[in-house]
Amino acid sequence: MLLTAADISMTYPVPGKARKKTVQALGRLEIVQQGQGVGLMGDSGAGKTTLGLILAGLLKPDSGQIVFKGKALSEYKGKQWKELRKRIQVVFQHPETAFDPRWKIGKSLEEPYRIHHQPMDLITIESLLEEMELPAGILFRYPSQLSGGELQRVAIARALCLNPELVILDEPTSMLDPLTQARIMGLLRQSLGKRNIAYLYISHNIHLVKAFCNGAYALDGGRLIPLKLERS
Ligand SMILES: Nc1ncnc2c1ncn2[C@@H]1O[C@H](COP(=O)(O)OP(=O)(O)OP(=O)(O)O)[C@@H](O)[C@H]1O
Ligand SMILES: [Mg+2]
């Protein structure tokens, strides 16, 4: 088993308000093995992004348990915690907020290496850019000089550059036109498949979930409901 999450609950403090916002994902979510794709669907506001960030260790739940590779997330400390941050990556819904606008793309792609005190591996970066059908010259441009689709493909390259085992894809193409969506999902599937990387694919699009995942859940009313992905 790669990852399990059980009975997750988290409360956001709401400034100036006594009532807080509680997000729940009761029940169980499983990502069985390396390379497996699992969909996560649900209405807007259901808590999909929140759950994704909790699974990546970027938000701390108030209750529930997440186990990654046989060990509870809460037990990863110090060096192991840093290593875990490398093993689980996130591709966010809005790529324009995931990059520092003052930095050229090259500097943003160096960042994961800087954080993990590793020398930048330009060969890996260049081959990932090529896989994402981006020219190497993109390294010298600013985020504002790229289209949304290009910037999201850079975000994917950045998420893959340190060899993660699991990637949380939070509606990675929802801001794009249908053709670009399908193209980027195709590139993404190839890159993830080739590296045997598991992914949680958060999406509103059942067709893409069916095409891209082996299993799926709906987050509905705070409960995780396994979905049957019957192919039409
Ligand atoms: N930082 C925050 N502070 C307070 N409340 C928040 C915060 N982030 C999210 N929420 C609330 O938590 C709930 C779940 O939000 P979340 O972003 O996880 O939903 P979602 O399922 O990803 O929705 P969407 O499909 O629109 O992206 C919403 O009611 C939202 O308003
Ligand atoms: Mg969301």
Side-chain angles (χ1 to χ4, degrees), residues 48-50 93 170-171 202:
K48 304 178 297 298
T49 294
T50 305
Q93 208 164 346
D170 189 359
E171 302 197 49
I202 299 173

Side-chain angles (χ1 to χ4, degrees), residues 33-36 164-165 191-198:
Q33 60 195 9
Q34 283 195 320
Q36 191 188 5
E165 290 175 73
S191 293
L192 292 166
K194 174 166 133 181
R195 294 176 176 78
N196 211 19
I197 299 172

Side-chain angles (χ1 to χ4, degrees), residues 17-111:
K17 284 199 180 167
R19 255 189 93 218
K20 296 179 168 65
K21 173 76 202 171
T22 299
V23 179
Q24 287 186 314
L26 302 178
R28 201 175 154 85
L29 180 144
E30 292 181 349
I31 301 177
V32 177
Q33 60 195 9
Q34 283 195 320
Q36 191 188 5
V38 172
L40 180 61
M41 305 197 64
D43 293 343
S44 185
K48 304 178 297 298
T49 294
T50 305
L51 179 60
L53 294 175
I54 290 173
L55 298 184
L58 297 174
L59 285 176
K60 209 170 163 317
D62 303 320
S63 59
Q65 199 179 42
I66 297 144
V67 177
F68 182 67
K69 299 183 85 179
K71 186 166 158 171
L73 230 55
S74 54
E75 283 170 23
Y76 284 83
K77 303 264 155 68
K79 252 189 160 168
Q80 286 182 335
W81 173 253
K82 239 181 153 190
E83 187 58 30
L84 179 82
R85 300 283 342 103
K86 215 158 67 169
R87 302 271 72 96
I88 309 180
Q89 293 287 325
V90 185
V91 175
F92 294 96
Q93 208 164 346
H94 304 289
E96 60 286 357
T97 60
F99 288 89
D100 191 321
R102 299 163 306 171
W103 291 358
K104 287 185 180 161
I105 296 301
K107 185 168 175 187
S108 282
L109 286 172
E110 268 174 31
E111 202 184 17

Side-chain angles (χ1 to χ4, degrees), residues 3-230:
L3 178 136
T4 57
D7 297 327
I8 303 298
S9 174
M10 201 205 93
T11 301
Y12 283 111
V14 180
K17 284 199 180 167
R19 255 189 93 218
K20 296 179 168 65
K21 173 76 202 171
T22 299
V23 179
Q24 287 186 314
L26 302 178
R28 201 175 154 85
L29 180 144
E30 292 181 349
I31 301 177
V32 177
Q33 60 195 9
Q34 283 195 320
Q36 191 188 5
V38 172
L40 180 61
M41 305 197 64
D43 293 343
S44 185
K48 304 178 297 298
T49 294
T50 305
L51 179 60
L53 294 175
I54 290 173
L55 298 184
L58 297 174
L59 285 176
K60 209 170 163 317
D62 303 320
S63 59
Q65 199 179 42
I66 297 144
V67 177
F68 182 67
K69 299 183 85 179
K71 186 166 158 171
L73 230 55
S74 54
E75 283 170 23
Y76 284 83
K77 303 264 155 68
K79 252 189 160 168
Q80 286 182 335
W81 173 253
K82 239 181 153 190
E83 187 58 30
L84 179 82
R85 300 283 342 103
K86 215 158 67 169
R87 302 271 72 96
I88 309 180
Q89 293 287 325
V90 185
V91 175
F92 294 96
Q93 208 164 346
H94 304 289
E96 60 286 357
T97 60
F99 288 89
D100 191 321
R102 299 163 306 171
W103 291 358
K104 287 185 180 161
I105 296 301
K107 185 168 175 187
S108 282
L109 286 172
E110 268 174 31
E111 202 184 17
Y113 295 97
R114 260 200 311 274
I115 292 171
H116 293 283
H117 307 292
Q118 284 177 226
M120 186 187 185
D121 178 354
L122 197 57
I123 293 176
T124 298
I125 291 288
E126 282 180 351
S127 70
L128 276 166
L129 292 179
E130 200 182 320
E131 273 179 50
M132 291 296 132
E133 297 180 349
L134 292 167
I138 216 156
L139 293 172
F140 306 101
R141 290 202 237 154
Y142 289 97
S144 62
Q145 297 170 327
L146 271 65
S147 73
E150 286 168 341
L151 199 55
Q152 192 61 301
R153 282 180 278 149
V154 175
I156 293 167
R158 185 172 62 178
L160 301 189
C161 71
L162 292 178
N163 300 316
E165 290 175 73
L166 172 65
V167 181
I168 312 289
L169 303 166
D170 189 359
E171 302 197 49
T173 61
S174 58
M175 71 306 185
L176 304 169
D177 66 88
L179 234 116
T180 314
Q181 275 198 33
R183 189 165 138 247
I184 295 187
M185 289 314 288
L187 294 176
L188 195 44
R189 176 161 52 182
Q190 261 181 22
S191 293
L192 292 166
K194 174 166 133 181
R195 294 176 176 78
N196 211 19
I197 299 172
Y199 48 91
L200 183 77
Y201 175 43
I202 299 173
S203 175
H204 286 278
N205 186 327
I206 184 71
H207 303 292
L208 287 175
V209 168
K210 278 185 184 174
F212 202 53
C213 299
N214 324 102
Y217 297 86
L219 189 50
D220 185 9
R223 300 206 144 262
L224 282 163
I225 300 157
L227 293 178
K228 282 205 176 77
L229 294 183
E230 276 143 18

